[in-house]
Amino acid sequence: MKLLSRARDSALQDRLVWQCASLLLAYPDDGLVQRLDTVDELLGHVSGPGSGLLARTAAALRARDPMAAAAHYVETFDMRRRATMYLTYWTAGDTRNRGREMLTFATAYRDAGVEPPHQEAPDYLPVVLEFAATVAPESGRRLLAEHRVPIDVLRGALADANSPYEHTVTAVCQTLPAATDQDVRRAQHLAASGPPAEAVGLQPFTLTVPPKRAGGRA
């Protein structure tokens, strides 16, 4: 019984981390302050190193002027291909494969009883995190674990940019199975070669995180 209780506690902690991360990685629009207030409330229930990491991102966002926060976000995630949060952008080398991989996300959402969001692509990391936190934890965990390598590449790109968002992505990585040597090699290869050059039209639950701006790069 104690093992089951610890497992449930761990699963709940992961869901809290995912929800906080989803809110922190969202575009800092007019709802930023409200989302940061929600993060602060949730962090009161988060234990372990993830709490401190998420709090560092939240503090950095609170310290920025809203316009500066928005400009920094665009510079971080839109102007750096290595920092894309569209997970299938890293794993599919052509448009047909990428469409099939995004269908995997959409199917997981529908199997859990929700429709994929219309405002955003189903493989967008904040969307996946919110799905894992609030809809289907096991299915969401599987999607995140299967895309551990792209998430690791993203973390490395944010670390290289000295971005406060790196702390949040690190907290997400801590909820996933440890990276294998093969994962590390794949991440290093992707970081060196960059994501696939092709882009496809994205056909993206009701989200609490705002959608990507129109014209944003995948």
Side-chain angles (χ1 to χ4, degrees), residues 7 36 61 75 89 130 181 195 210:
L36 291 176
L61 290 175
E75 179 184 358
Y89 192 54
E130 184 166 329
D181 290 342

Side-chain angles (χ1 to χ4, degrees), residues 18 87 128 138-151 172 175-177 183 186:
W18 296 336
L87 299 180
V128 184
E138 290 310 311
S139 179
R141 183 189 299 278
R142 184 168 59 253
L143 290 172
L144 291 168
E146 288 172 352
H147 293 81
R148 171 66 190 255
V149 171
I151 295 172
V172 171
T175 69
L176 304 177
D183 289 338
R186 286 181 60 204

Side-chain angles (χ1 to χ4, degrees), residues 55-68:
R56 290 178 68 180
T57 302
L61 290 175
R62 281 198 187 275
R64 290 183 186 271
D65 173 83
M67 291 188 64

Side-chain angles (χ1 to χ4, degrees), residues 149-182:
V149 171
I151 295 172
D152 274 336
V153 175
L154 170 62
R155 185 202 57 74
L158 295 174
D160 290 345
N162 197 29
S163 169
Y165 290 108
E166 184 247 336
H167 308 305
T168 288
V169 177
T170 297
V172 171
C173 289
Q174 290 178 348
T175 69
L176 304 177
T180 65
D181 290 342
Q182 182 179 12

Side-chain angles (χ1 to χ4, degrees), residues 65-111:
D65 173 83
M67 291 188 64
H72 173 75
Y73 187 95
V74 171
E75 179 184 358
T76 299
F77 295 111
D78 293 357
M79 302 303 178
R80 294 183 174 91
R81 289 174 61 191
R82 283 181 58 204
T84 179
M85 288 196 284
Y86 291 96
L87 299 180
T88 65
Y89 192 54
W90 291 99
T91 57
D94 60 60
T95 57
R96 183 176 302 175
N97 284 343
R98 190 175 179 204
R100 282 201 299 265
E101 291 197 15
M102 283 201 292
L103 181 60
T104 299
F105 287 84
T107 299
Y109 299 158
R110 291 191 176 100
D111 287 347

Side-chain angles (χ1 to χ4, degrees), residues 18-29 31-32 35 38-39 73 85 117-121 124-131 133-134 205-213:
W18 296 336
Q19 182 64 85
C20 289
S22 177
L23 297 172
L24 291 170
L25 292 174
Y27 176 70
D29 62 3
L32 174 61
R35 289 195 300 277
T38 300
V39 168
Y73 187 95
M85 288 196 284
H118 297 293
Q119 311 99 317
E120 190 52 85
Y124 186 51
L125 180 58
V127 171
V128 184
L129 288 166
E130 184 166 329
F131 171 74
T134 65
F205 52 137
T206 300
L207 294 173
T208 61
V209 298
K212 188 85 162 166
R213 285 87 51 234

